[in-house]
């Protein structure tokens, strides 16, 4: 066994393990194993500590105390047992040519061992020594010896226990009748709903090629579209048609048709068309043309073009969600309808909608307590709860943090859960965690403009200006009308990165009446104006900012910024920029 497994062998084995039913049903252990493999391949396996595993691998808060909480050690122990069960269940044919993943006892790095190797030496739990009052597992020899000795054994002396046996039989009979009644009784509507997986309610997209047999280009385009669709958690996607769906399910069913202009050499430059159709009504909701001019469909620029189209369909506020909102009307039933209503609220931020959305999310959490989509939505509502006249966008609360961390624990690969953790960390001023999970969310789903806009804003507020700018630019390019906070973040980033003219151009071109009521946008425009020598105009915006946040005219810049910013680092940097451009008088 090698202490540093060969990369491709370990990655191949990990992929096989991840497809097993045990790990498909256990997102926490799945994410933990992925993290341990990732760290081992990076050369960090031998240096891993319980704190790192708890925070980075299991999504615990950075306040985690490994001295008083054994959670990571317990979970790694569970992971070892899960791996043992997985390999024990393989047939000889399935095990042929494979190695087993093992985690040595007392360590957290991952190793590969031959399938025939005993587990004890590789890190499995040591043989169990029977404790007092416990019996050791019987071997075949023990059983044989016991059988041969049975005729010579005598029953121990004592009172007649026949009545006890009869009483036990009666109790067993009553218990059996109760179980029969329990399983045969009619199920209430709420119990039936609770037993259903909420993921079965969400909109479903089936990908087809036209003609049905496709060709290399169409099949590749369909595979790319499927890959991108799978990034979005409010959709289910398959490349196989669904049969015998109910009328309710049919209302949530869509077809994504991938077609070309023909086949053969004469059509190698022909565009590919993507069309979204509602299955129940047959209505075409969206169409998109991908021009590739003979470039291979799998080329990065063509793949990105397909991804941009898929984003229009699947993102928050996209074609599918808008259509579902129209079909559902005012339905705010627990589960998927509630999440559609939540998406609408998050887009509009209409205070009148908050109570109803909060109520339906609470009901959804009772039915689906481990659903990451519900938990991350509840976290946002909690953190963004209004607090009087305060203009600070988020207020840190333990419940908001706990809900975000629970969303991550239940689905470590969810971009929405990852950005929820980043949001919670940013609200607490924990920039290292906010940056780490913002980057993770960007990697998980680079096609969701809302996620990109939030992640870019967190990066900017925490001082990663070089990393924030391309993320914010991509979010703005994908969103026809980005929000004021996103625009303000990009303007500020460009000012700090020395792109002052571009910053001013963006600030002036984005002027909309509603942006005047957003302090972050007013700050950004004031900085852009002053940085380009238009100090008087910038100062007029600063005075408007003072009035908006309720600060007295001429108040210290630190007081003005403290009324609407979260990150102390960001507030200090903005004060430095405002003083350097002449926007405000230098303090002290």
């Amino acid at each position: 066994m090698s202490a540093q497994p060969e990369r491709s062998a370990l990655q191949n084995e990990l992929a096989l393990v991840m497809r097993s039913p045990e790990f498909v049903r256990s997102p926490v252990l799945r994410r933990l194993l992925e993290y341990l493999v990732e760290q081992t391949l990076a050369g960090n396996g031998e240096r891993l500590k319980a704190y790192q595993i708890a925070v980075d691998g299991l999504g615990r808060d950075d306040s985690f105390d490994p001295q008083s909480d054994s959670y990571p050690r317990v979970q790694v122990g569970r992971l070892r047992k899960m791996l043992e069960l997985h390999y024990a269940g393989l047939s000889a044919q399935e095990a042929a040519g494979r190695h087993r993943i093992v985690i040595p006892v007392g360590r957290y790095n991952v190793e590969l061992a031959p399938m025939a190797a005993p587990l004890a030496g590789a890190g499995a739990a040591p043989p169990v020594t029977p404790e007092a009052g416990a019996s050791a597992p019987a071997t075949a020899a023990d059983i044989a010896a016991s059988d041969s000795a049975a005729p010579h054994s005598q029953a121990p002396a004592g009172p007649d226990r026949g009545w006890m046996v009869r009483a036990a039989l009666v109790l067993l009979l009553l218990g059996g009748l109760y179980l029969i009644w329990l399983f045969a009784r009619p199920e209430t509507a709420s119990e039936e709903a609770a037993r259903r997986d909420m993921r079965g309610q969400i909109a479903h997209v089936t990908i087809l090629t036209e003609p049905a047999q496709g060709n290399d280009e169409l099949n590749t385009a369909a595979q790319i579209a499927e890959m991108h669709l799978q990034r979005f958690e409010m959709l289910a996607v398959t490349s196989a048609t669904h049969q015998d769906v109910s009328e309710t399910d049919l209302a949530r069913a869509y077809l994504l048709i991938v077609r070309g202009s023909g086949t053969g050499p004469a059509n190698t430059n022909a565009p590919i068309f993507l069309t979204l159709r509602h299955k129940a009504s047959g209505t075409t909701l969206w169409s998109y043309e991908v021009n590739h001019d003979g470039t291979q469909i799998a080329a990065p620029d063509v793949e990105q073009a397909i991804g941009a189209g898929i984003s229009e369909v699947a993102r928050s506020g996209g074609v599918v969600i808008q259509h579902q909102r129209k079909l559902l009307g005012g339905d705010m039933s627990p589960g998927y309808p509630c999440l559609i209503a939540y998406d609408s609220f998050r887009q509009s931020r209409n205070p009148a909608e908050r109570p109803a959305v909060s109520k339906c999310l609470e009901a959804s959490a009772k039915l689906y307590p481990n659903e990451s989509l519900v938990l991350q939505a509840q976290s946002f509502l909690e953190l963004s709860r209004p607090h009087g006249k305060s203009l600070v966008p988020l207020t840190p609360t333990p419940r908001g943090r706990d809900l975000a961390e629970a969303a991550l624990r239940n689905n470590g690969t969810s971009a929405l859960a990852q950005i929820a953790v980043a949001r919670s960390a940013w609200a607490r001023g924990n920039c290292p965690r906010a940056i780490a999970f913002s980057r993770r969310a960007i990697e998980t789903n680079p096609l969701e403009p809302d996620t990109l806009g939030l992640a870019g804003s967190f990066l900017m507020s925490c001082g990663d200006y070089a990393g924030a700018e391309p993320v914010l630019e991509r979010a703005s390019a994908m969103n026809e009308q980005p929000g004021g906070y996103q625009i303000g973040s990009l303007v500020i980033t460009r000012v700090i990165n020395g792109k002052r003219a571009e910053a001013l151009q963006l600030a002036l071109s984005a002027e909309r009446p509603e942006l005047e009521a957003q302090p972050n946008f007013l700050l950004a425009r004031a900085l852009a104006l002053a940085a380009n020598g238009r100090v008087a105009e910038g100062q007029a915006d600063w005075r408007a900012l003072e009035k908006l946040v309720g600060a007295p005219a001429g108040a210290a810049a630190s007081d003005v910024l403290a009324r609407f910013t979260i990150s102390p680092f960001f507030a200090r940097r903005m004060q430095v920029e405002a003083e350097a451009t002449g926007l405000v008088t230098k303090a002290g």
Side-chain angles (χ1 to χ4, degrees), residues 342-427:
Y342 162 75
D343 183 82
S344 175
F345 165 76
R346 202 174 56 79
Q347 297 285 326
S348 68
R349 305 293 176 93
N350 183 354
E353 297 176 4
R354 176 182 282 272
V357 171
S358 180
K359 183 178 179 180
C360 79
L361 283 175
E362 291 292 343
S364 299
K366 290 180 181 178
L367 281 177
Y368 313 105
N370 299 319
E371 176 50 58
S372 179
L373 288 172
V374 174
L375 292 167
Q376 63 85 25
Q378 286 186 295
S379 175
F380 171 75
L381 279 192
E382 175 68 22
L383 294 172
S384 64
R385 190 180 302 279
H387 289 271
K389 297 181 179 180
S390 173
L391 291 175
V392 176
L394 299 176
T395 303
T397 67
R399 184 169 185 262
R401 177 198 61 197
D402 292 345
L403 287 165
E405 300 290 346
L408 186 70
R409 284 196 300 274
N410 283 287
N411 188 355
T413 60
S414 162
L416 294 175
Q418 291 159 359
I419 205 65
V421 170
R423 181 193 292 117
S424 170
W426 181 66

Side-chain angles (χ1 to χ4, degrees), residues 4 13 42-43 49 54 92 150 192 223 264 282 311 337 351 356 363 386 419 448 455 467 475 485 520 524 541 570:
Q4 180 67 26
E13 183 58 29
K49 302 296 182 185
E192 183 182 2
Q223 291 168 1
S311 175
I419 205 65
E448 174 56 77
Y485 203 92
N520 195 66
D541 269 350
F570 174 66

Side-chain angles (χ1 to χ4, degrees), residues 9-28:
L10 182 52
Q11 289 176 331
N12 291 339
E13 183 58 29
L14 175 66
L16 292 172
V17 170
M18 287 300 167
R19 289 200 291 267
S20 67
E22 304 96 335
F23 282 88
V24 168
R25 291 192 297 265
S26 180
V28 174

Side-chain angles (χ1 to χ4, degrees), residues 40-185:
T40 297
L41 292 176
N44 302 324
E46 296 288 352
R47 296 189 293 274
L48 276 175
K49 302 296 182 185
Y51 177 82
Q52 293 172 270
I53 292 172
V55 174
D56 297 330
L58 293 166
R60 281 298 177 96
D61 185 60
D62 51 351
S63 61
F64 176 81
D65 181 8
Q67 301 301 320
S68 61
D69 193 336
S70 61
Y71 180 69
R73 292 187 290 277
V74 170
Q75 292 298 85
V76 171
R78 288 184 60 210
L79 178 57
R80 289 192 184 102
K81 293 183 182 298
M82 184 79 84
L83 287 168
E84 290 177 32
L85 288 172
H86 167 71
Y87 289 114
L90 295 180
S91 65
Q93 183 178 4
E94 290 170 329
R98 285 179 62 177
H99 285 66
R100 68 170 76 237
I101 294 176
V102 294
I103 306 169
V105 171
R107 293 155 63 191
Y108 296 125
N109 63 302
V110 170
E111 297 182 356
L112 280 178
M115 286 296 295
L119 277 177
V128 178
T129 303
E131 298 176 355
S135 58
T139 63
D142 295 333
I143 295 172
S146 173
D147 287 344
S148 63
H152 307 285
S153 61
Q154 296 180 355
D160 182 10
R161 291 182 173 81
W163 69 271
M164 296 176 65
V165 174
R166 288 190 291 274
L169 290 173
V170 170
L171 289 174
L172 286 173
L173 178 61
L174 291 173
L177 291 173
Y178 172 76
L179 289 175
I180 292 172
W181 172 83
L182 188 64
F183 287 109
R185 69 184 177 90

